[in-house]
Amino acid sequence: MSANPADAHPHRPVEVELVLRDAAAALAGATGTEAVLEAADRALAALTLPDCRYKVRIRVAEDKAPPADLVPIDVPAPDAESVGVLLVDQDTAARSELSLPLQILSALAAQAVERICLADELQRYRSLHEMEALMERICDAVLIVDAGHRIRYASPSARTVFGTSALQDRDLLAFVPAEQRPAAGSLLRHVRSGAAGTEPGHADWTIEAADGRTPTVEVTCTTQQPADPTGTVTVTLHDVTAQRRLEHELTESMFHDTLTGLPNRALFAERTEHALATSSGLTAAIILDLDDFGSINDTFGHAVGDEVLRSAGRRVAEAIGPDNVAARSGGDEFAALIHDAGTPEDIAAIAEHLSRLLAEPVRTSGGTVVVSGASIGAATTADTGSAHELLRNANLALREAKSAGVRQCRHYEQSMADRIAQPQLHSALAAAVDDGSLLLEYQPIVALGTGRTVGFEALLRWQHPVRGRLYPGEFIALAEDCGLIVPIGEWVLATATAQAQRWPASVRGNAPYLSVNVSAHQFRSDGFLDTVGRLLAGTELPAHRLVLEITESQLLPDDDKVWGALAHLRGSGIRIAIDDFGTGYSALGYLRQIPLDIVKLDRSFARGLTTSRRQRDLMQGTVTLIRTLGLDVVAEGIETEHQRELSATVGCTYGQGYLFATPMPESGVADWLAQAGAASSAPPVGGRR
Ligand code: C2E
Ligand code: MG
Ligand code: MG
């Protein structure tokens, strides 16, 4: 591509700057390489002399050598394979005043090309995923199995699963590994018995195929009629090997810290839970907080700070050995879980050893860094059988250690818990439901594509008579511990449903939905389902306008009461959201089993989106997977325009956060809806708290 501009060719700095600024704007908006070429071409025409010869090209791997009489301007971009290149004639290249503008233009063009390539890649990833899903659906294997589990019919596609087409009269369970056989048999019997009605039964099985492969299949069993007298069952097998592997990999990376490679806080909590459920010996939790770490970042910079953290992670992991669990539980905080911890003296010795190790100087690329060491808190199962309390106790001990100065170790004692117990707070909270000091604020949830407000989340506040306004972080845990969460939760539901019933429909659509946080204690309490039914009937709020949120970490796999309640509520048209997803430890595959409609990604996701490309790819994969399960995704904690844009790019449907609005009093909702309804695309921006 070349051009000979006949008109003015600015050389004064201010004009050059204007040309570059225009080019930057055009390149930032370019959605294809054609647009990049055009923008670069236009800028070159304005920068160079009328008789200058130049070319703008996108360099690709197999690109031809540039014409001999043109000089390539190197492009200072991170990925040399895919960047653009400007070619100009010798005279122009020799003009020193053009050298810097040309370099800048090259860099801008390269950045634009890189961004466009990334977007294409993501698009390809998405279509590939959809194509794979389609192929998998088409390739489902269908079997008809008799009362003795013998295969009476196998569709041609069954060959791809079983590695053979000789399936007639074979025992289906002989293809299932011995340890899965009892469960597989009971699924077939359950469906055959008619106990499931015509509802299909689902499970994941491994198939030991004739050609040695072991694909994972999602099995669906149905009968034509309940309790079919012939005992015939139709079994559909859907190969989900790749999907389960991807789910596993994503889950793994979601629960590891990218800097140190250690498990993160959520996984550490899960490992603690598991250890307590399975071990009868003494288990210890040790939490370590590096002293004065902030000053290392300030003095040596973040790169050296990161090296110090990596080294601390390695030291903790090596000191406790591979049989125990080391984790990075926060910025400069590490944790260790010691199985079969021996005696309290043994724990004290381990803590002392860790303390010595973490005080040793660290060799980094910026030189040897002298560190202050760490404060350490330890607790054991001698004081509690609950994982939650074990970690709380270790944290209390850490708090005491920190307040005693640097490099202190403390072991948990009951007196530490007594010091923070809040008897006055408890009695004031008990009175709060009746004395009118509880109130609700509402925060909009917006569609990221259109900016339209689709719902509001009700957030509880307590106007404490002495301490002023308190937020849920300061009293919900207390309410849960002492059972007050049930009456308080009922007050929240009653108040919010009555208020939401009065919200107007927006100009362009339906009235917004109401999202209410519900604690697992409430789901477990007797009469909760009746309460919800009664409140909906009383306020005449349609069930489809109510969403109940349950926090991921409160949703335990074997809590039948909660699961039953969720299924029942969904059956009546209420939607269920899993809240703060990513802070508990749920494998992604687990989402498939929960009666669920919406996943709210914890705000650490929005933050993670802007940290690194790898993190963004991970989130893209996670969101794609959630959406293939037919669930809506809300990104929480969106604070910046950049986070909003990236959340939409990775496929989140909805967003919530200070960028759109901080939680507002009920009296503000109608005004907000009127304003948001009038806005054409972007939502109005609220103030920050
Ligand atoms: P949540 O359900 O995840 O609610 C979102 C929290 O994030 C709210 O804090 C909200 O003010 C805050 N937030 C919203 N946008 C942003 C943002 O852009 N950046 C940041 N940093 N934060 C943002 P809040 O109101 O303090 O509530 C905290 C938690 O308390 C809630 O988390 C929820 O789990 C719980 N909670 C609130 N109301 C109730 C309730 O009525 N019942 C129960 N059981 N729990 C409640
Ligand atoms: Mg919530
Ligand atoms: Mg949340």
Side-chain angles (χ1 to χ4, degrees), residues 79 91 159 171 217 259 269 286 335 368 444 469 596 622 629 644:
D79 175 8
D91 290 346
R159 188 178 194 290
D171 178 1
V217 290
L259 185 67
I286 301 179
T368 300
R469 177 160 297 193
L596 195 66
T622 307
L629 297 175
R644 185 197 68 78

Side-chain angles (χ1 to χ4, degrees), residues 182-263:
S186 75
L187 175 71
L188 291 172
R189 279 192 297 279
H190 178 69
V191 171
R192 196 175 284 133
S193 72
T198 46
E199 278 291 295
H202 296 285
D204 272 13
W205 293 353
T206 306
I207 296 293
E208 292 177 335
D211 53 8
R213 287 174 311 112
T214 50
T216 307
V217 290
E218 191 175 65
V219 175
T220 309
C221 300
T222 45
T223 45
Q224 289 310 311
Q225 47 181 337
D228 185 343
T230 64
T232 311
V233 177
T234 307
V235 181
T236 312
L237 301 106
H238 173 58
D239 190 334
V240 289
T241 314
Q243 198 177 330
R244 295 292 184 271
R245 196 179 309 127
L246 182 64
E247 281 171 13
H248 177 76
E249 281 166 11
L250 285 171
T251 305
E252 278 298 294
S253 31
M254 257 168 75
F255 294 103
H256 284 85
D257 165 48
T258 36
L259 185 67
T260 59
L262 293 176

Side-chain angles (χ1 to χ4, degrees), residues 457 517 549 579 600 636:
E457 176 173 4
N517 295 284
E549 298 187 8
D579 200 3
K600 298 188 77 175
E636 293 189 294

Side-chain angles (χ1 to χ4, degrees), residues 55 125 175 238 316 341 566 655:
K55 241 175 185 312
Y125 173 82
F175 288 99
H238 173 58
V316 175
L566 293 179

Side-chain angles (χ1 to χ4, degrees), residues 46-260:
L47 285 172
T48 52
L49 294 170
D51 53 355
C52 152
R53 286 203 333 106
Y54 62 82
K55 241 175 185 312
V56 186
R57 288 221 313 240
I58 305 297
R59 186 193 288 168
V60 286
E62 67 277 12
D63 205 4
K64 294 187 290 288
D69 59 334
L70 295 183
V71 180
I73 307 284
D74 272 343
V75 178
D79 175 8
E81 287 301 310
S82 62
V83 298
V85 62
L86 306 181
L87 304 165
V88 293
D89 67 12
Q90 315 270 356
D91 290 346
T92 309
R95 295 173 72 94
S96 60
E97 80 278 15
L98 280 182
S99 152
L100 187 62
L102 288 177
Q103 293 281 349
I104 294 174
L105 186 60
S106 291
L108 289 170
Q111 259 173 18
V113 173
E114 211 200 5
R115 180 178 47 76
I116 291 162
C117 289
L118 178 63
D120 284 354
E121 210 178 289
L122 288 177
Q123 190 52 44
R124 258 203 308 283
Y125 173 82
R126 234 177 260 162
S127 355
L128 192 71
H129 198 81
E130 277 157 21
M131 175 70 86
E132 263 176 17
L134 184 67
M135 287 300 289
E136 278 176 5
R137 270 203 298 281
I138 293 170
C139 294
D140 279 359
V142 181
L143 309 177
I144 294 183
V145 177
D146 71 13
H149 309 323
R150 305 247 150 229
I151 299 172
R152 291 295 172 212
Y153 164 82
S155 67
S157 51
R159 188 178 194 290
T160 50
V161 173
F162 291 90
T164 173
S165 33
L167 291 166
Q168 188 72 28
D169 291 335
R170 303 273 299 269
D171 178 1
L172 171 59
L173 296 188
F175 288 99
V176 178
E179 68 278 10
Q180 293 181 12
R181 228 169 271 155
S186 75
L187 175 71
L188 291 172
R189 279 192 297 279
H190 178 69
V191 171
R192 196 175 284 133
S193 72
T198 46
E199 278 291 295
H202 296 285
D204 272 13
W205 293 353
T206 306
I207 296 293
E208 292 177 335
D211 53 8
R213 287 174 311 112
T214 50
T216 307
V217 290
E218 191 175 65
V219 175
T220 309
C221 300
T222 45
T223 45
Q224 289 310 311
Q225 47 181 337
D228 185 343
T230 64
T232 311
V233 177
T234 307
V235 181
T236 312
L237 301 106
H238 173 58
D239 190 334
V240 289
T241 314
Q243 198 177 330
R244 295 292 184 271
R245 196 179 309 127
L246 182 64
E247 281 171 13
H248 177 76
E249 281 166 11
L250 285 171
T251 305
E252 278 298 294
S253 31
M254 257 168 75
F255 294 103
H256 284 85
D257 165 48
T258 36
L259 185 67
T260 59

